[in-house]
């Protein structure tokens, strides 16, 4: 896999797909599937999201978030979807803090738990 | 519904030393630290599993602070909060007098990350409060004002 951080090469084809539920929960206060989400320790939406972030190579984690939230110039290329009463915009804001110590606490390409310049 | 044409001036619509609890909450959710100098003991605001069944007071108090601000002025207040001066660095956790300052750059947790969280405090999954736009969000159009 080397140094590549592309969807499908270095990253899964739908990066952070497993974070959609956690982001929807924390931002929109809803579940995506419409069914209750697990609250079993180790299997909560947060756990599953953080696990996926953890499994991405350290230097690709911010790139994974970038894929996940999409680019402002191409808002349709995003894993996120507008939900009733909860547009993509706040979900993007939440997704941007996923790597921080207060959330998944994973190191990134900056060798620290943050991503910069995601708003492109 | 909130009254129309509300004056959202700081000090009129909301106190200028507001949102101390929201700073607690935002710092915990992004930087995983407790605000230096916060008025509350850490155990009261922790969302850790060690305190099952305990209300997450930092969030509760933050949402209360926001709820008291008129609907038209909530985004204005959050913007004001984000633009407040940064305490001189570094913050000393033992004294931690952060006073009226806003967000702070902390080691490994720059303000940029905290700002992202502040903007969604009113979102349905957080405090669930309507704003001037009649949506539960403070849209990013306001961003140029903080730079």
């Amino acid at each position: 896999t080397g140094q590549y951080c592309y969807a499908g090469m270095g990253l899964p084809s739908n990066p952070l797909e497993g974070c959609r539920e956690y982001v929807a929960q924390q931002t929109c206060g809803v579940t995506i599937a419409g069914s209750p989400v697990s609250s079993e320790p180790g299997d909560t939406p947060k756990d599953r999201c953080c696990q996926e972030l953890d499994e991405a190579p350290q230097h690709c984690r911010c790139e994974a978030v970038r894929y996940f939230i999409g680019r402002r110039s191409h808002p349709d290329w995003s894993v996120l979807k507008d939900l009733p009463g909860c547009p993509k915009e706040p979900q993007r804001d939440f997704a941007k803090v996923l790597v921080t110590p207060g959330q998944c606490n994973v190191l990134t390409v900056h060798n620290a738990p943050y991503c910069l310049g995601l708003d492109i | 519904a909130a009254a129309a044409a509300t004056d959202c001036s700081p000090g009129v619509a909301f106190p200028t030393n507001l949102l101390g609890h929201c700073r607690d909450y935002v710092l915990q959710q992004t930087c995983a630290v407790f605000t230096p100098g916060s008025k509350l003991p850490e155990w009261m605001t922790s969302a850790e599993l060690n305190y099952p069944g305990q209300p997450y007071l930092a969030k509760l108090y933050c949402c209360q602070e926001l709820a008291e601000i008129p609907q038209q002025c909530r985004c204005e207040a959050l913007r004001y909060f984000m633009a407040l001066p940064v305490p001189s660095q570094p913050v000393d956790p033992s004294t931690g007098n952060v006073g009226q300052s806003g967000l702070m750059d902390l080691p490994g947790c720059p303000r940029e990350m905290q700002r992202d969280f502040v903007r969604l405090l009113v979102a349905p999954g957080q405090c669930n409060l309507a704003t001037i736009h009649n949506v539960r969000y403070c849209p990013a159009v306001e961003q140029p004002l903080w730079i």
Side-chain angles (χ1 to χ4, degrees), chain B:
Chain B
T6 309
D7 180 1
C8 291
S9 308
V12 179
F14 51 87
T16 51
N17 62 346
L18 86 171
L19 301 183
H21 292 304
C22 286
R23 184 171 48 208
D24 285 343
Y25 181 53
V26 169
L27 284 179
Q28 285 178 14
Q29 288 291 310
T30 53
C31 308
V33 297
F34 194 62
T35 310
S38 171
K39 296 170 214 72
L40 292 172
E42 186 162 1
W43 66 266
M44 285 178 73
T45 53
S46 175
E48 291 303 314
L49 294 170
N50 317 1
Y51 309 105
Q54 295 286 326
Y56 186 11
L57 291 183
K59 182 178 183 182
L60 213 67
Y61 289 166
C62 168
C63 293
Q64 218 161 50
E65 283 178 331
L66 287 176
E68 283 166 8
I69 299 167
Q71 176 182 342
Q72 322 301 88
C73 301
R74 280 182 193 135
C75 289
E76 194 68 33
L78 289 180
R79 208 159 69 212
Y80 178 84
F81 176 62
M82 286 187 275
L84 282 172
V86 185
S88 52
Q89 301 297 318
V91 173
D92 178 1
S94 58
T95 58
N97 184 16
V98 291
Q100 293 194 3
S101 51
L103 304 170
M104 55 194 94
D105 283 312
L106 293 170
C109 195
R111 265 176 304 154
E112 182 178 332
M113 312 301 287
Q114 302 164 37
R115 279 198 203 113
D116 289 331
F117 201 90
V118 169
R119 286 201 294 154
L120 58 87
L121 282 175
V122 293
Q126 298 292 328
C127 295
N128 195 19
L129 293 165
T131 68
I132 186 169
H133 313 283
N134 227 15
V135 294
R136 285 151 205 266
Y137 180 57
C138 295
V141 285
E142 291 144 356
Q143 198 159 352
L145 290 174
W146 335 319
I147 295 172

Side-chain angles (χ1 to χ4, degrees), chain A:
Chain A
T1 56
Q3 72 274 44
Y4 293 112
C5 298
Y6 300 120
M9 193 192 289
L11 289 171
S13 49
N14 272 323
L16 305 188
E17 173 74 25
C19 287
R20 281 182 59 208
E21 192 70 65
Y22 183 50
V23 171
Q25 179 193 59
Q26 291 295 309
T27 311
C28 310
V30 298
T31 63
I32 291 175
S35 49
V37 293
S38 165
S39 55
E40 279 296 300
D43 191 38
T44 64
K46 182 180 184 180
D47 291 328
R48 274 177 279 133
C49 173
C50 292
Q51 191 186 337
E52 185 163 349
L53 208 46
D54 198 49
E55 282 165 2
Q58 178 179 336
H59 68 283
C60 291
R61 285 172 188 150
C62 291
E63 201 53 35
V65 173
R66 209 166 274 139
Y67 269 104
F68 184 70
I69 65 177
R71 292 166 198 260
R72 280 189 188 282
S73 47
H74 299 94
D76 295 339
W77 300 357
S78 162
V79 181
L80 295 170
K81 297 192 170 37
D82 288 316
L83 294 170
C86 191
K88 259 185 265 187
E89 205 57 30
Q91 300 178 56
R92 287 176 57 122
D93 285 337
F94 187 76
K96 285 190 278 179
V97 305
L98 283 175
V99 299
T100 58
Q103 297 295 329
C104 296
N105 195 21
V106 291
L107 296 179
T108 69
V109 66
H110 308 294
N111 215 24
Y114 57 80
C115 298
L116 295 175
L118 287 173
D119 265 315
I120 53 171

